[in-house]
Amino acid sequence: MATQARTAWLNNIPYTFDKATGEWLWRPSPVTFEDEFLGNTLDLVYRWETVETLLNTAPALVDDASNGVAQITLNVDNDTEKGVLYMNDNLQFALDKGVIWQARVNFPVLPTSTTEMVLGLAAAENAFDTITTSCWFKLAGSGVVVVETDDTATNNDDKATGKTLLNTDWAILRIDTTTLADVKFYIDGVRVASSTTFDMSSATGAAGKVQPYFGAYQTDASVGTMYIDSVR
């Protein structure tokens, strides 16, 4: 939660942000979505859907978590597991309208071995590498964070951010698609992977329709847990 907030301007639009973490707290927009994951259960009727493949614990809210937290947890079982929180392929967000995605997340159990965790924006649910359009952060086998984009024409995989998360870290992740020819990624208010131009110019019209997407996958006895405090 913010302790000190400031107001600034971007593209002639004001926004309020947490001075310490860079978290955007408020920004006026014709269309907004936000979930703080508060309440008794995860809203699987009006907001979210889940994929649950051989998980011991389904994606759900964390009991008594301060300020509300959703979780995706992989088991230590030696099998192929997948957990996803998404909007059931109801692709209501258009990248060519300048979507800005942000989430506050923690990985209390960091990914090991074959575990991959992705979070950001994606087209219809599928195996991570085969989703047609995506822009997201990824952790694979460790706390090292990379970023990726794919717009069906240009594919940028595993671009280094220089950031390695600990299991105690809460990180503010943000993706800015205001300029599709130069999509930008931020961690805790600092731009990352700035030496790469993430060109998603082909993600227009139907090809650029996406949804918020949080996913975890493993193919052996790997583990990993993702906590999501908020997404907007």
Side-chain angles (χ1 to χ4, degrees):
M1 296 183 66
T3 55
Q4 282 191 323
R6 296 187 61 182
T7 298
W9 294 76
L10 178 67
N11 298 329
N12 295 319
I13 300 174
Y15 67 97
T16 302
F17 66 98
D18 184 334
K19 188 176 179 181
T21 66
E23 180 180 9
W24 285 23
L25 306 172
W26 170 83
R27 185 174 188 263
S29 174
V31 177
T32 60
F33 171 82
E34 180 176 7
D35 200 335
E36 296 281 357
F37 299 107
L38 295 165
N40 183 46
T41 59
L42 189 64
D43 185 349
L44 299 178
V45 177
Y46 300 108
R47 291 198 166 203
W48 300 103
E49 183 57 85
T50 63
V51 172
E52 180 189 348
T53 304
L54 297 178
L55 301 181
N56 290 339
T57 303
L61 299 188
V62 178
D63 288 345
D64 302 321
S66 297
N67 308 313
V69 169
Q71 61 81 25
I72 301 174
T73 297
L74 300 176
N75 319 321
V76 72
D77 301 339
N78 191 0
D79 53 19
T80 298
E81 301 172 6
K82 187 176 187 180
V84 176
L85 186 63
Y86 71 127
M87 290 185 167
N88 202 26
D89 295 339
N90 196 342
L91 309 178
Q92 298 176 324
F93 297 89
L95 291 178
D96 56 9
K97 303 302 181 185
V99 176
I100 298 176
W101 173 98
Q102 176 185 271
R104 181 175 186 264
V105 297
N106 164 247
F107 300 88
V109 179
L110 291 171
T112 62
S113 188
T114 65
T115 295
E116 290 189 355
M117 293 185 164
V118 298
L119 51 165
L121 296 162
E125 210 287 309
N126 209 329
F128 296 161
D129 287 341
T130 63
I131 292 177
T132 55
T133 300
S134 61
C135 47
W136 57 34
F137 295 84
K138 183 172 85 171
L139 286 76
S142 72
V144 174
V145 184
V146 297
V147 292
E148 299 183 337
T149 60
D150 191 350
D151 69 349
T152 73
T154 304
N155 190 12
N156 282 296
D157 282 341
D158 297 327
K159 300 303 180 182
T161 66
K163 183 73 172 180
T164 300
L165 297 178
L166 303 176
N167 67 343
T168 54
D169 290 336
W170 282 95
I172 308 297
L173 309 181
R174 187 164 73 252
I175 303 169
D176 186 339
T177 73
T178 302
T179 303
L180 273 184
D182 188 16
V183 172
K184 298 176 175 63
F185 294 86
Y186 299 83
I187 299 178
D188 295 333
V190 178
R191 188 178 175 188
V192 296
S194 58
S195 62
T196 299
T197 299
F198 294 94
D199 187 353
M200 299 190 71
S201 298
S202 294
T204 59
K209 301 296 286 296
V210 294
Q211 63 195 322
Y213 189 93
F214 300 87
Y217 176 80
Q218 67 105 337
T219 58
D220 56 22
S222 304
V223 295
T225 298
M226 180 192 305
Y227 276 4
I228 312 156
D229 172 56
S230 64
V231 59
R232 55 173 57 92

